[in-house]
Amino acid sequence: MKSAQSIAETRRLGLCLVISAPSGAGKSTLVERLCKKFPHFAYSISCTTRAPRGGERQGEQYHFLTREEFLARREAGYFAEWAEVHGNLYGTPRVPVEELLADGRDVLFDIDVQGALQLKGTFPQGLFVFILPPSLPELERRLRGRGTDSEEDIARRLGNALGELRQAGRFDYLIVNDDLVEAADELCAVYVAGRARTPNRPGLLDALLSQWGA
Ligand code: 5GP
C-alpha cells in the first residue's frame, strides 16, 4: 500500500512573471498593486549603470555598478539577460533567480522589452506580460503628466514606445492599462492562472493517483 501524500505537499515550481511596457504605460503602479495582493513574490534585483535616484539604496532597488564593472560581469556570463535602456545598461543576475525558482519561489521581473524577450529563451515556461497604453496620445499625456522628463526625453521615449509595441506580439499576454483597477485585476488573473498551469505542478497528479492506489 503506497503512503498517501497530501496534494498540498506536492512540489510547485517557482514561476517567472515578466512584465514589460513602454515608458509611461503605468507598469510600476500595476506591479505595486500586484505585490500588495501577493506579497510573497521574490523580486529580481537588477544591476544597472545608471546613478541612484533620491531614496534608492545600493542592493535594494538595484545593484548600482560602474560601466566597467557591468561589462566585466557581462563578459563572465553573470547575466540571464541584459540591455541598454535610455543610455544605461541593465541586467538580471542569473544565479539568484535560478536559486529562487528551484526553491519554489515566484519571481517578478520588471524589465524592458529587449531583456524580456531574451529571458523567454532562458525561462520559456515563464509568463510574459506586456502592458499597453490605451492610445499613443494618452501615453504622451501620461509622460508629460509625470513632469520628470525633458521634451527631448519624451520624444525619445515615444519613439522607443513604437519599437516596443512592434515587439508586443511576442509576449503571452497583453493588458491595456486604461482603467487601472481593471488592468490590475487582469494582471492578478494572469498570475493566478499561471500558477495553476500543469507544468508548474509536477507530482500533483501522481500524488492524487497514488491515493487511489493506482
Ligand atoms: P529605471 O531606470 O527607470 O528604474 O528603469 C528603466 C527601464 O529599465 C525600465 O523599463 C525597467 O523595466 C528596465 N529595467 C530594469 N531592470 C532591468 C533589467 O535587469 N534588464 C532589462 N533588460 N531592463 C531592466
Side-chain angles (χ1 to χ4, degrees):
M1 167 89 181
K2 291 177 186 165
S3 67
Q5 184 189 10
S6 154
I7 293 167
E9 284 166 22
T10 60
R11 195 164 63 93
R12 199 175 71 76
L13 294 179
L15 192 78
C16 291
L17 178 58
V18 183
I19 306 181
S20 293
S23 181
K27 177 178 58 172
S28 307
T29 313
L30 288 172
V31 165
E32 254 170 47
R33 293 200 169 207
L34 179 77
C35 291
K36 203 165 173 193
K37 184 148 183 196
F38 301 105
H40 58 263
F41 262 115
Y43 184 74
S44 164
I45 300 177
S46 300
C47 295
T48 183
T49 60
R50 85 150 161 75
R53 298 187 184 121
E56 286 184 337
R57 300 241 293 262
Q58 180 66 280
E60 282 185 15
Q61 293 78 13
Y62 285 104
H63 302 290
F64 295 98
L65 304 180
T66 64
R67 205 167 174 94
E68 291 65 40
E69 287 168 335
F70 190 101
L71 294 177
R73 290 193 191 191
R74 191 183 73 184
E75 292 319 305
Y78 181 80
F79 297 118
E81 62 75 34
W82 69 273
E84 182 141 15
V85 187
H86 309 311
N88 291 303
L89 294 168
Y90 293 83
T92 301
R94 179 188 299 274
V95 171
V97 171
E98 286 173 348
E99 285 175 354
L100 286 163
L101 292 173
D103 208 24
R105 299 286 306 278
D106 294 338
V107 186
L108 181 62
F109 300 79
D110 170 350
I111 63 176
D112 93 306
V113 172
Q114 315 160 64
L117 294 175
Q118 290 171 51
L119 272 194
K120 215 162 197 266
T122 317
F123 302 113
Q125 73 285 13
L127 300 173
F128 291 80
V129 180
F130 192 93
I131 311 290
L132 293 153
S135 68
L136 211 56
E138 174 59 17
L139 185 67
E140 186 169 353
R141 198 189 65 75
R142 288 182 190 174
L143 281 172
R144 288 190 194 288
R146 300 204 298 200
T148 50
D149 305 304
S150 64
E151 276 305 310
E152 198 188 334
D153 265 343
I154 292 173
R156 197 176 55 197
R157 283 169 196 262
L158 286 171
N160 288 345
L162 194 61
E164 289 162 344
L165 287 175
R166 290 202 171 105
Q167 301 285 335
R170 299 174 62 192
F171 284 69
D172 303 317
Y173 298 92
L174 300 175
I175 295 180
V176 180
N177 184 15
D178 189 358
D179 179 279
L180 183 62
V181 174
E182 263 178 40
D185 281 351
E186 265 184 52
L187 182 58
C188 291
V190 163
Y191 168 59
V192 170
R195 278 164 59 98
R197 285 197 316 189
T198 309
N200 246 350
R201 298 300 310 258
L204 175 61
L205 292 176
D206 283 346
L208 195 55
L209 286 168
S210 78
Q211 288 181 357
W212 265 270

